[in-house]
Amino acid sequence: MSDTLTAEEIARHYSAAMDSVNLINALAAQESRTTEEQNTVSRNVEHLEIMVAKDYWTTEDLAPLSSAITAGKA
């Protein structure tokens, strides 16, 4: 895959990252999590850590991604 992404591809990556943000935030809001839910959070945190390190972002707000990483690690 090329390192040069179209605006549409970047938007798809951002949308997928926001799906992870929403999932992490929903599970983090629970009083407790099952092992499966914790594993889901961990996988999504790893995904977001990879995504925030990408250098193709333009005007996208990455703050929700960073916040979800922090919430998922709490």
Side-chain angles (χ1 to χ4, degrees), residues 18-60:
M18 289 305 296
D19 288 343
S20 288
V21 166
N22 293 331
L23 181 58
I24 290 168
N25 289 340
L27 291 174
Q30 295 179 186
E31 286 189 29
S32 63
R33 290 183 286 246
T34 65
T35 300
E36 182 178 341
E37 289 170 335
Q38 186 54 48
N39 291 339
T40 297
V41 169
S42 296
R43 282 192 309 275
N44 281 273
V45 165
E46 289 172 17
H47 172 237
L48 291 181
E49 288 175 329
I50 291 167
M51 296 310 290
V52 297
K54 299 293 184 183
D55 63 2
Y56 51 67
W57 301 117
T58 55
T59 60
E60 296 79 17

